[in-house]
Amino acid sequence: MDGPPPPEEDFSAIPLLDRVSHSNWKARLSAYEALPKTFSLTTSDSDPTFRPYLSDPGLLKKIVTDSNAVAQEKGVEAVCALVQYSGENSARTRETVVPALVDKCLGSARAGTKAKAIELILKYIEVENGGEAVIRDILPGLSAKQPKVVSGTVTALNEAFKAFGIKVIPPKDALKTLPKIFGHSDKTVRAEGTALVQSLYTFLGQGIQPFLSELKPVQVKELNEAFTKMDE
């Protein structure tokens, strides 16, 4: 049938919270796109606007794991804004949201989703004033069946240490995982592991050596060569 395409359905008349849980992904997308501005207009980090979201971590999990890839990316962005503007009040949602990011976002084929997920992880470290609990929530990603989830997990660890250092994030849990990372069959995982070790070396120097003892000799040799270049 000829003629103009039917007009896009307008969801703006539906209350924001109802749109977030709508069965139509375009309705959810419109909500996710509106939320960052809504949160930015709040007057304090305890504004009532945040309450429906902070009191329901399960809703936040649904947002960051949206079944539609386009909506999901905007959903992660919306939760980033929530954590940014509600500050420390959002810390209690971390234990529900971060594992969901690991499972459904860090291995995303959409670069924007992965990048926003890592940004959100870093925001949780910021509002918790420490990274130990966040890192514990990330580490199970190293046991994922999909290599892209594992490599995304290593990338997130690396970005966390680069952003906050070892005073905010005690490195012991991450250091214990190095044999697992370097023993992985996927070369991208191992490459991300190399980047992680180089970041940790900037803080630990030669103190990192005992944690490399279980790696293959050729891997240790390559890392030591990289350390030498870093020290020049």
Side-chain angles (χ1 to χ4, degrees):
M1 214 166 73
D2 293 334
E8 282 284 320
E9 192 174 349
D10 182 12
F11 297 103
S12 59
I14 303 172
L16 199 49
L17 204 54
D18 291 342
R19 274 188 275 158
V20 167
S21 302
H22 203 283
S23 59
N24 187 318
W25 73 267
K26 290 182 179 179
R28 298 195 302 274
L29 175 63
S30 75
Y32 303 159
E33 289 176 331
L35 282 172
K37 184 175 182 182
T38 300
F39 294 145
S40 73
L41 295 173
T42 53
T43 55
S44 76
D45 58 12
S46 56
D47 193 287
T49 304
F50 300 125
R51 196 170 299 133
Y53 304 94
L54 297 181
S55 64
D56 188 0
L59 177 62
L60 302 185
K61 179 179 178 178
K62 285 180 182 175
I63 293 173
V64 302
T65 60
D66 197 292
S67 57
N68 179 277
V70 176
Q72 182 190 24
E73 183 173 339
K74 289 297 180 182
V76 177
E77 207 170 304
V79 180
C80 272
L82 171 68
V83 175
Q84 178 180 343
Y85 291 106
S86 64
E88 291 181 9
N89 296 307
S90 63
R92 62 179 180 269
T93 66
R94 182 261 312 155
E95 62 185 19
T96 301
V97 175
V98 172
L101 296 174
V102 173
D103 289 343
K104 300 295 183 183
C105 299
L106 292 184
S108 175
R110 293 178 70 90
T113 300
K114 181 178 173 180
K116 282 290 171 188
I118 291 174
E119 182 184 330
L120 180 49
I121 286 167
L122 299 186
K123 286 189 183 303
Y124 273 115
I125 294 174
E126 194 174 325
V127 299
E128 289 206 342
N129 299 308
E132 195 164 9
V134 179
I135 296 302
R136 278 201 303 268
D137 285 341
I138 299 172
L139 290 177
L142 298 176
S143 301
K145 290 181 180 178
Q146 292 178 300
K148 62 185 181 179
V149 177
V150 182
S151 64
T153 299
V154 182
T155 303
L157 287 170
N158 187 22
E159 292 301 321
F161 282 110
K162 285 199 296 185
F164 294 100
I166 62 173
K167 287 185 178 177
V168 176
I169 309 171
K172 63 182 187 301
D173 290 336
L175 288 165
K176 289 174 187 174
T177 68
L178 295 181
K180 186 173 191 173
I181 293 169
F182 280 87
H184 202 280
S185 59
D186 187 85
K187 66 179 181 181
T188 305
V189 172
R190 298 194 302 273
E192 291 295 336
T194 296
L196 171 62
V197 167
Q198 289 176 334
S199 294
L200 289 168
Y201 180 79
T202 62
F203 300 107
L204 297 169
Q206 291 301 318
I208 201 170
Q209 292 293 348
F211 299 96
L212 307 180
S213 61
E214 293 180 43
L215 275 55
K216 293 177 181 176
V218 66
Q219 291 175 326
V220 176
K221 180 174 179 288
E222 289 171 355
L223 287 170
N224 280 324
E225 287 170 356
F227 297 158
T228 301
K229 286 182 181 176
M230 290 170 69
D231 290 338
E232 286 174 358

